[in-house]
Every structure is written in C-alpha cells, then in structure tokens.
Amino acid sequence: MTGEPGDDTRSRILRAALDLFAGHGYQRTSLRQIGERLRLTKAAILYHFPTKEHLLTALVEPLLADLEKLLDAAETLPPERARRTLVEGWVDTMLAHRRPLGMLYHDLALVTRGDTYHRLMWVAMRANEIAAGPDAGLRERVRAVQAIAMCSDPIVFFLDVPDEVLRAHMLDGVRRLWAGPDAAAEPAGEGAPGAEPTPGPPATARRRPGRPRAMSPEQVGLARRLHAAGTHSVDEIAARLGVSRATVYRHLDRDAVE
C-alpha cells in the first residue's frame, strides 16, 4: 500500500487494517499481515496500536465522534425539530461511514471493553431519548428504538444500493413507522417525521414483499466471514441477511459446508 500526500504511519496502518479485515475478517487478520502489507515490522505496528483491538477501536472512532456531534446539536433543538435533525443526520452519518460499517459490522461486538463500548451504549441511549421525545410513553420509546435501528441496519445490508436511493427508502420507512397504518397509502417520498418531503426512490427500485432471492456481493462476503468465524450458524446468518438457508448455502465455499 503506497502512502498519500501528508499521510502518516498511523493512517496507513488503519487503512491497511480496514482492507485486510474486509478481505479476511478480523479474526483471521494478524498484526504481522498488516505489517507485511506496509513493509513494517510487527513492533512498528505495536508502537501505534498495542493490540489488534486498539485498531478496531480506532476504526470505529470517527463514526462515534460524528454521532456525538449530531446528538449534541439535536439536544439543543425543540422536540420535533430535534427528532427530524437526529433522524436525517443519523442516516447521513451512517452513509458517510458506509464502507467501514459494512466491513466491520460483525466485528463491532468485539469492542466490549473500555470507553468505546460505553460510548456506543451512551450514544444509542441518547439517540433513543431524542427520537422518543419528552414525557414519552412505552409506545413512543419502542418506536424510537425501532426508528434508530431503521436508520442504521440497512447501511450494512444494502451496500450495493446508491446512497441517495437508500437514504430515501430509510427516511420513508421511519416516516411510516411513526405515522402508522395510514401512511401506507401515501407517496413514498414524504420524508421523515416532521421533515420536509424527501424525494422517494424510483418505482423500479421497489421490491416485492418477501425474502430476497439473491444476496449482494457484500452480503455474500459477510455470510462467508460469519460462517468461517464459527460465530453464527447458517440459520442465524440467513435470518440476519433476510434470505433463505438455501440461498446462504449456495454462496458458501463448498469446502466450508462439507
């Protein structure tokens, strides 16, 4: 991997780690492999990142920092405007960090110690509170948790969908969640709750109900990494990706399932 103008060793290590984690998975990537990619010794890697988990934490940091800035801004606004700012900003932040999210999603659970884990939990709780609004009842709090998930999960599972199309679908989904059954009869482009109308996705992008019959290349890669790591059964992978067991088996390496 060649350096870029103004690049430093730490940044180069992070980019190499992200590439290798994407291609081989976190568990199967060693610090030695990262060093070989950059023609650095393992000791040089350890100078910047004492453990491999420190690398993962550093890759998550920009996303966390951006989400915290968004929450700080939303908390200064009136409830309805705060919700709109949060929902649209959350989607935009996730899209801005789309590549590392897609590659590291199944490894984020490994960040279970120290400040990063607590920050992740605190960010999620603050977001849920803003989305629910003041004096929210159980129904509003449940909807808020669902809404934040709707503003996150599709980023990982639809990496092949253009940003603007996926954004419109996600904001439309949140609007329908809060609007209730009547929203099903409205146009798809009305935007998030309390927001100005958001352009909806073209009709050709709509899917018929039911499980998708095929997986995107990113989903195939995720399925293979989860299966190779031994952390998920085929049934669990199928449920996570929203496809059938047969579809998952069709895309796994033959040697891995025999």
Side-chain angles (χ1 to χ4, degrees):
M1 175 177 291
T2 58
E4 297 179 357
D7 204 6
D8 59 19
T9 301
R10 189 176 188 277
S11 298
R12 292 173 58 225
I13 293 171
L14 286 173
R15 281 208 314 277
L18 185 58
D19 289 343
L20 288 169
F21 291 166
H24 307 289
Y26 176 85
Q27 298 284 15
R28 292 188 174 187
T29 299
S30 67
L31 293 177
R32 178 184 57 79
Q33 289 172 305
I34 297 171
E36 289 175 351
R37 169 72 69 93
L38 298 170
R39 297 182 180 179
L40 295 173
T41 64
K42 182 177 177 180
I45 304 293
L46 292 173
Y47 175 79
H48 294 277
F49 302 97
T51 68
K52 193 167 67 169
E53 185 174 308
H54 282 80
L55 270 170
L56 189 61
T57 299
L59 288 169
V60 175
E61 173 62 29
L63 169 65
L64 268 177
D66 285 351
L67 288 175
E68 287 171 339
K69 289 178 184 177
L70 171 65
L71 292 169
D72 290 342
E75 285 177 336
T76 67
L77 303 173
E80 285 302 317
R81 191 177 170 197
R83 176 189 289 178
R84 171 186 170 181
T85 297
L86 172 67
V87 168
E88 294 188 348
W90 195 278
V91 171
D92 290 339
T93 301
M94 292 292 169
L95 286 170
H97 295 275
R98 197 172 187 183
R99 182 170 177 263
L101 271 174
M103 293 177 179
L104 297 173
Y105 182 79
H106 64 292
D107 292 322
L108 291 180
L110 298 172
V111 188
T112 56
R113 297 191 295 273
D115 292 340
T116 300
Y117 174 76
H118 295 295
R119 283 173 67 195
L120 281 167
M121 294 300 99
W122 182 236
V123 162
M125 288 189 291
R126 288 175 66 192
N128 292 337
E129 289 177 3
I130 294 172
D135 303 318
L138 178 60
R139 178 179 181 274
E140 289 75 23
R141 296 201 306 272
V142 170
R143 291 284 177 91
V145 174
Q146 290 175 311
I148 297 303
M150 293 169 73
C151 292
S152 307
D153 291 356
I155 300 292
V156 176
F157 297 117
F158 298 97
L159 291 173
D160 57 331
V161 178
D163 284 4
E164 64 276 8
V165 174
L166 188 59
R167 183 182 191 274
H169 274 301
M170 293 168 71
L171 293 178
D172 177 60
V174 176
R175 179 189 63 80
R176 291 170 184 263
L177 172 70
W178 263 302
D182 292 342
E186 298 174 6
E190 292 299 319
E196 295 295 326
T198 302
T204 54
R206 298 178 186 275
R207 289 175 177 258
R208 283 184 286 179
R211 290 180 171 178
R213 289 173 290 181
M215 296 192 295
S216 69
E218 290 79 9
Q219 289 175 310
V220 171
L222 176 58
R224 288 177 176 172
R225 291 195 297 272
L226 291 175
H227 190 266
T231 57
H232 293 68
S233 68
V234 171
D235 285 337
E236 290 170 332
I237 295 171
R240 180 164 177 172
L241 297 178
V243 299
S244 68
R245 293 174 72 253
T247 299
V248 174
Y249 272 118
R250 197 161 59 239
H251 291 285
L252 292 177
D253 295 330
R254 291 185 180 276
D255 293 341
V257 295
E258 290 179 352

